[in-house]
mmCIF file of all heavy atoms in Angstrom:
data_model
loop_
_atom_site.group_PDB
_atom_site.id
_atom_site.type_symbol
_atom_site.label_atom_id
_atom_site.label_comp_id
_atom_site.label_asym_id
_atom_site.label_seq_id
_atom_site.Cartn_x
_atom_site.Cartn_y
_atom_site.Cartn_z
ATOM 1 N N VAL Q 11 69.250 98.988 124.729
ATOM 2 C CA VAL Q 11 67.819 99.089 125.028
ATOM 3 C C VAL Q 11 67.465 98.185 126.208
ATOM 4 O O VAL Q 11 67.702 96.985 126.175
ATOM 5 C CB VAL Q 11 66.925 98.763 123.804
ATOM 6 C CG1 VAL Q 11 66.780 99.955 122.893
ATOM 7 C CG2 VAL Q 11 67.407 97.558 123.033
ATOM 8 N N ALA Q 12 66.905 98.799 127.235
ATOM 9 C CA ALA Q 12 66.563 98.050 128.449
ATOM 10 C C ALA Q 12 65.271 98.607 129.045
ATOM 11 O O ALA Q 12 65.145 98.747 130.262
ATOM 12 C CB ALA Q 12 67.715 98.142 129.453
ATOM 13 N N ALA Q 13 64.326 98.950 128.162
ATOM 14 C CA ALA Q 13 63.081 99.563 128.642
ATOM 15 C C ALA Q 13 61.921 98.573 128.634
ATOM 16 O O ALA Q 13 60.774 98.964 128.842
ATOM 17 C CB ALA Q 13 62.737 100.787 127.788
ATOM 18 N N GLY Q 14 62.227 97.287 128.409
ATOM 19 C CA GLY Q 14 61.153 96.287 128.370
ATOM 20 C C GLY Q 14 60.695 95.917 129.773
ATOM 21 O O GLY Q 14 61.414 96.122 130.757
ATOM 22 N N ARG Q 18 57.727 87.707 130.001
ATOM 23 C CA ARG Q 18 57.962 86.261 130.029
ATOM 24 C C ARG Q 18 58.821 85.843 131.218
ATOM 25 O O ARG Q 18 58.826 84.702 131.629
ATOM 26 C CB ARG Q 18 58.663 85.815 128.721
ATOM 27 C CG ARG Q 18 57.740 85.732 127.535
ATOM 28 C CD ARG Q 18 58.503 85.529 126.258
ATOM 29 N NE ARG Q 18 59.328 86.693 125.925
ATOM 30 C CZ ARG Q 18 60.110 86.785 124.847
ATOM 31 N NH1 ARG Q 18 60.204 85.774 124.019
ATOM 32 N NH2 ARG Q 18 60.799 87.880 124.605
ATOM 33 N N LYS Q 25 63.936 91.846 134.327
ATOM 34 C CA LYS Q 25 65.132 90.989 134.281
ATOM 35 C C LYS Q 25 66.436 91.771 134.196
ATOM 36 O O LYS Q 25 67.452 91.350 134.745
ATOM 37 C CB LYS Q 25 65.017 90.025 133.087
ATOM 38 C CG LYS Q 25 64.821 90.732 131.741
ATOM 39 C CD LYS Q 25 64.436 89.755 130.640
ATOM 40 C CE LYS Q 25 64.262 90.481 129.309
ATOM 41 N NZ LYS Q 25 63.832 89.591 128.238
ATOM 42 N N GLN Q 26 66.405 92.951 133.553
ATOM 43 C CA GLN Q 26 67.658 93.702 133.370
ATOM 44 C C GLN Q 26 68.235 94.219 134.691
ATOM 45 O O GLN Q 26 69.406 94.572 134.763
ATOM 46 C CB GLN Q 26 67.484 94.854 132.360
ATOM 47 C CG GLN Q 26 66.422 95.882 132.666
ATOM 48 C CD GLN Q 26 65.052 95.495 132.114
ATOM 49 O OE1 GLN Q 26 64.725 94.325 132.044
ATOM 50 N NE2 GLN Q 26 64.257 96.476 131.732
ATOM 51 N N GLY Q 82 60.064 103.461 124.967
ATOM 52 C CA GLY Q 82 58.690 103.532 124.497
ATOM 53 C C GLY Q 82 57.982 102.215 124.692
ATOM 54 O O GLY Q 82 58.490 101.311 125.364
ATOM 55 N N ALA Q 83 56.815 102.105 124.042
ATOM 56 C CA ALA Q 83 55.979 100.917 124.243
ATOM 57 C C ALA Q 83 56.536 99.693 123.515
ATOM 58 O O ALA Q 83 56.217 98.560 123.869
ATOM 59 C CB ALA Q 83 54.566 101.211 123.753
ATOM 60 N N THR Q 84 57.335 99.912 122.486
ATOM 61 C CA THR Q 84 57.947 98.798 121.739
ATOM 62 C C THR Q 84 59.461 99.007 121.704
ATOM 63 O O THR Q 84 59.946 100.120 121.929
ATOM 64 C CB THR Q 84 57.455 98.769 120.278
ATOM 65 O OG1 THR Q 84 57.822 100.023 119.675
ATOM 66 C CG2 THR Q 84 55.958 98.569 120.180
ATOM 67 N N ARG Q 85 60.174 97.925 121.365
ATOM 68 C CA ARG Q 85 61.630 98.034 121.235
ATOM 69 C C ARG Q 85 61.958 99.071 120.173
ATOM 70 O O ARG Q 85 62.877 99.872 120.323
ATOM 71 C CB ARG Q 85 62.220 96.669 120.873
ATOM 72 C CG ARG Q 85 63.752 96.656 120.807
ATOM 73 C CD ARG Q 85 64.248 95.319 120.256
ATOM 74 N NE ARG Q 85 65.695 95.186 120.323
ATOM 75 C CZ ARG Q 85 66.529 95.704 119.433
ATOM 76 N NH1 ARG Q 85 66.070 96.394 118.404
ATOM 77 N NH2 ARG Q 85 67.837 95.533 119.554
ATOM 78 N N SER Q 88 61.769 102.457 121.522
ATOM 79 C CA SER Q 88 62.886 102.711 122.444
ATOM 80 C C SER Q 88 64.150 103.078 121.663
ATOM 81 O O SER Q 88 64.855 104.023 122.011
ATOM 82 C CB SER Q 88 63.146 101.480 123.320
ATOM 83 O OG SER Q 88 62.055 101.273 124.184
ATOM 84 N N ASP Q 109 70.779 94.641 123.043
ATOM 85 C CA ASP Q 109 69.756 94.355 124.056
ATOM 86 C C ASP Q 109 70.385 94.403 125.447
ATOM 87 O O ASP Q 109 71.358 93.665 125.708
ATOM 88 C CB ASP Q 109 69.177 92.947 123.855
ATOM 89 C CG ASP Q 109 68.365 92.815 122.587
ATOM 90 O OD1 ASP Q 109 67.815 93.829 122.116
ATOM 91 O OD2 ASP Q 109 68.274 91.678 122.065
ATOM 92 N N GLY Q 110 69.806 95.192 126.331
ATOM 93 C CA GLY Q 110 70.300 95.230 127.707
ATOM 94 C C GLY Q 110 70.249 93.864 128.370
ATOM 95 O O GLY Q 110 70.998 93.588 129.316
ATOM 96 N N ALA Q 111 69.377 93.000 127.882
ATOM 97 C CA ALA Q 111 69.198 91.680 128.484
ATOM 98 C C ALA Q 111 70.216 90.659 127.965
ATOM 99 O O ALA Q 111 70.078 89.467 128.229
ATOM 100 C CB ALA Q 111 67.777 91.193 128.211
ATOM 101 N N LYS Q 212 70.149 85.890 125.431
ATOM 102 C CA LYS Q 212 69.253 86.947 125.929
ATOM 103 C C LYS Q 212 68.518 86.386 127.140
ATOM 104 O O LYS Q 212 67.841 85.348 127.030
ATOM 105 C CB LYS Q 212 68.261 87.374 124.836
ATOM 106 C CG LYS Q 212 67.381 88.517 125.293
ATOM 107 C CD LYS Q 212 66.629 89.145 124.141
ATOM 108 C CE LYS Q 212 65.579 88.224 123.589
ATOM 109 N NZ LYS Q 212 64.707 88.856 122.617
HETATM 110 O O1 C5P L 1 61.348 91.639 124.877
HETATM 111 P P1 C5P L 1 62.732 91.314 124.376
HETATM 112 O O2 C5P L 1 63.546 90.518 125.354
HETATM 113 O O3 C5P L 1 62.770 90.790 122.987
HETATM 114 O O4 C5P L 1 63.465 92.741 124.299
HETATM 115 C C1 C5P L 1 64.772 92.891 123.786
HETATM 116 C C2 C5P L 1 65.400 94.122 124.419
HETATM 117 O O5 C5P L 1 64.636 95.280 124.068
HETATM 118 C C3 C5P L 1 65.422 94.048 125.947
HETATM 119 O O6 C5P L 1 66.710 94.427 126.408
HETATM 120 C C4 C5P L 1 64.320 95.008 126.353
HETATM 121 O O7 C5P L 1 64.543 95.639 127.614
HETATM 122 C C5 C5P L 1 64.321 96.029 125.220
HETATM 123 N N1 C5P L 1 63.017 96.683 125.047
HETATM 124 C C6 C5P L 1 62.942 98.078 125.165
HETATM 125 N N2 C5P L 1 61.716 98.706 125.048
HETATM 126 C C7 C5P L 1 60.597 97.989 124.857
HETATM 127 C C8 C5P L 1 60.661 96.576 124.734
HETATM 128 C C9 C5P L 1 61.897 95.948 124.823
HETATM 129 O O8 C5P L 1 63.961 98.746 125.362
HETATM 130 N N3 C5P L 1 59.433 98.630 124.798
#
Side-chain angles (χ1 to χ4, degrees):
V11 278
R18 283 170 294 180
K25 57 191 181 183
Q26 58 272 32
T84 60
R85 184 188 187 278
S88 293
D109 292 333
K212 183 167 69 172

